[in-house]
Amino acid sequence: MKQKAKVYLVGAGPGDPDLLTVKAHRLLREADLVLHDDLVASAILTLARGAQVENVGKRCGAKKITQDEINARMIEAAQRGLCVVRLKSGDPGIFGRLSEEIDALETAGVPYEVVPGVTAGIAAAASLGISLTDRRKSARVVIVTGHKAHGGQPDGKIDWKNLAREDATLVIYMPGHEFENLREELLAAGLASEIPAVIVSHASTAEQRHQFTTIGDLGSLPHLEPPAILLIGRALEGADTRSRAAAVSQAIECAE
């Protein structure tokens, strides 16, 4: 059944079309207009066969269109009776400007619905067999962005002394590549140098790459192609060994 005029704020997941929710898949097939971010995979966009598809991404600060213009486009289309899917990579509520768009829709009196998705941090951990909340090692998960424009402090800096704890797993979106500076900040916050870390690029996709290290060796991490996620914490202990064993097993299977 065709959806009524409304804006759906939909999570596209980390990139693998198989990780879309059933509802997201259905909405893409029924939408009149899809407004998507840069990071949404092309394989997911092909599901919107009957819709007008527009890229409204603002990747790495390079704005093709302002947030106000995106808000206006959603509102105008819905008021014309269209079913609009605002498609965001990962989950719309994790660094996806969800609140700003909800505020605009509510002010305009436009009906909307949020459809969650698998966020990249969860996908990165799952791909390596990591439980972010291993109860033996982690009592909390801290989700932050390394992008200074999104910092929680007025000067754009992250307050690691209050966030980084031995019983926490850190999930850092858009970590950049200044890993030596991050190393010094985490050590200054009291974290031990042997705590494991891993950077994951293009989580859940065929292009996924990752590299394990420790806080003490963060400065030696390679600059993997974005989008990337940096995971840090004792919940990662043993994941490097499991990952290497799985890679060897897969290589043997391919050779047979």
Side-chain angles (χ1 to χ4, degrees):
M1 183 176 68
K2 185 72 174 179
Q3 295 294 324
K4 296 180 180 179
K6 190 174 181 179
V7 174
Y8 294 88
L9 303 157
V10 179
D16 181 354
D18 286 344
L19 294 180
L20 271 177
T21 65
V22 173
K23 188 165 190 175
H25 188 284
R26 174 172 59 81
L27 288 171
L28 283 171
R29 294 174 65 90
E30 297 175 353
D32 298 306
L33 173 65
V34 175
L35 304 173
H36 69 90
D37 290 341
D38 278 333
L39 294 178
V40 175
S42 58
I44 291 174
L45 295 176
T46 59
L47 299 173
R49 296 170 185 167
Q52 180 177 342
V53 179
E54 298 178 13
N55 185 339
V56 293
K58 300 183 294 298
R59 188 172 181 182
C60 299
K63 298 182 179 180
K64 301 175 182 177
I65 181 171
T66 68
Q67 186 61 54
D68 286 343
E69 290 172 331
I70 294 172
N71 296 345
R73 183 75 177 103
M74 290 190 298
I75 292 167
E76 178 271 335
Q79 289 176 336
R80 284 196 290 115
L82 301 184
C83 172
V84 181
V85 168
R86 173 69 176 101
L87 192 62
K88 299 168 179 286
S89 61
D91 181 271
I94 304 294
F95 304 121
R97 297 178 182 250
L98 176 65
S99 296
E100 297 172 50
E101 295 182 358
I102 285 177
D103 288 346
L105 293 168
E106 289 184 343
T107 298
V110 172
Y112 67 89
E113 181 179 337
V114 179
V115 180
V118 177
T119 186
I122 299 298
S127 72
L128 298 173
I130 295 169
S131 169
L132 299 177
T133 57
D134 183 335
R135 67 177 183 171
R136 298 165 297 179
K137 303 170 183 178
S138 176
R140 69 201 74 229
V141 175
V142 178
I143 298 176
V144 298
T145 170
H147 196 293
K148 292 183 179 180
H150 298 285
Q153 301 299 308
D155 60 1
K157 294 182 179 179
I158 297 172
D159 184 6
W160 289 117
K161 288 187 177 181
N162 285 323
L163 294 178
R165 297 174 51 167
E166 285 275 342
D167 65 347
T169 306
L170 304 178
V171 182
I172 306 174
Y173 287 68
M174 296 171 280
H177 53 85
E178 298 178 1
F179 299 126
E180 185 62 37
N181 290 341
L182 178 60
R183 170 187 178 274
E184 296 305 316
E185 291 175 352
L186 293 177
L187 292 176
L191 293 187
S193 63
E194 74 272 11
I195 290 177
V198 62
I199 188 167
V200 185
S201 169
H202 293 280
S204 85
T205 71
E207 292 75 38
Q208 176 172 318
R209 300 291 182 272
H210 69 270
Q211 180 66 52
F212 279 92
T213 187
T214 63
I215 288 179
D217 287 331
L218 274 176
S220 64
L221 267 183
H223 183 201
L224 298 184
E225 181 182 7
I229 295 287
L230 182 61
L231 306 176
I232 300 173
R234 295 201 179 278
L236 280 64
E237 290 174 345
D240 187 10
T241 302
R242 292 195 301 273
S243 176
R244 282 187 273 115
V248 170
S249 176
Q250 183 177 22
I252 293 174
E253 289 180 3
C254 290
E256 291 177 347

